[in-house]
Amino acid sequence: AQELVAATHGRSCWVLPLRWVYALNDEQRAKPFASLDLQVPSGRDTWGYEPAAPFADPRTVDRNVVWTFWHRAGGSGRLDLVAADGSVVVSRSLPVVNGFNVESLNLLLAPADPTAPAAPPAGTNDPFAARRARYVAKGDYTLRLTVGSQVDSVKVTVN
């Protein structure tokens, strides 16, 4: 099953996946950083159009890029989603530990606003576009992790 179950007498229990421990080889451990897993949500065309009860207000659903990586030094870090033109689209500060890290970055730009006027913005036929949550556009991006002076990145495609 490749899982470690850790329990305490305080009635806490964690199930930890060991697949990353087995995936990290000596060559990767010798480097200051190793990217192990990247999960990017798909179906961008339907984000903001989640089904809801009739006459219900639009919902805001989190869409997260989840990045699993190993870092040798750790410290205070910053996770940025960078567009092709170099602009930072979404960003957040985070603590990076020495070892395995699982971090997420929400692709939400603005939450749903059920009070927005029902008028179609220029260039769209959707009268409720102003009420829907706004997310990062489809396209190619770079997910960049900065810890101190060390910068590591991976390519991300939102589709």
Side-chain angles (χ1 to χ4, degrees):
Q2 293 193 1
E3 292 177 338
L4 172 68
V5 178
T8 69
H9 291 288
R11 298 188 183 145
S12 296
C13 181
W14 295 273
V15 178
L16 308 169
L18 294 177
R19 67 179 180 271
W20 303 312
V21 175
Y22 293 126
L24 192 63
N25 59 36
D26 291 338
E27 181 182 327
Q28 290 171 315
R29 248 183 242 278
K31 297 177 183 175
F33 172 84
S35 179
L36 301 173
D37 188 32
L38 182 67
Q39 299 170 14
V40 182
S42 60
R44 174 61 187 89
D45 291 336
T46 61
W47 297 358
Y49 295 91
E50 286 77 16
F55 309 108
D57 290 331
R59 297 184 304 151
T60 299
V61 177
D62 286 340
R63 304 294 180 180
N64 294 309
V65 172
V66 180
W67 192 12
T68 304
F69 56 89
W70 183 83
H71 203 277
R72 188 184 326 181
S76 181
R78 183 150 208 83
L79 191 58
D80 302 315
L81 187 69
V82 182
D85 65 0
S87 62
V88 175
V89 180
V90 182
S91 182
R92 80 175 185 92
S93 298
L94 65 151
V96 176
V97 299
N98 178 4
F100 294 97
N101 295 265
V102 180
E103 296 295 340
S104 64
L105 187 63
N106 197 338
L107 301 180
L108 177 71
L109 298 176
D113 180 8
T115 63
T124 181
N125 293 326
D126 183 359
F128 301 104
R131 294 183 181 179
R132 299 187 195 287
R134 289 187 310 110
Y135 297 91
V136 169
K138 290 170 85 171
D140 294 324
Y141 297 90
T142 300
L143 189 59
R144 180 177 65 199
L145 174 68
T146 306
V147 180
S149 61
Q150 181 181 343
V151 179
D152 299 291
S153 62
V154 294
K155 297 294 182 187
V156 173
T157 300
V158 176
N159 56 20

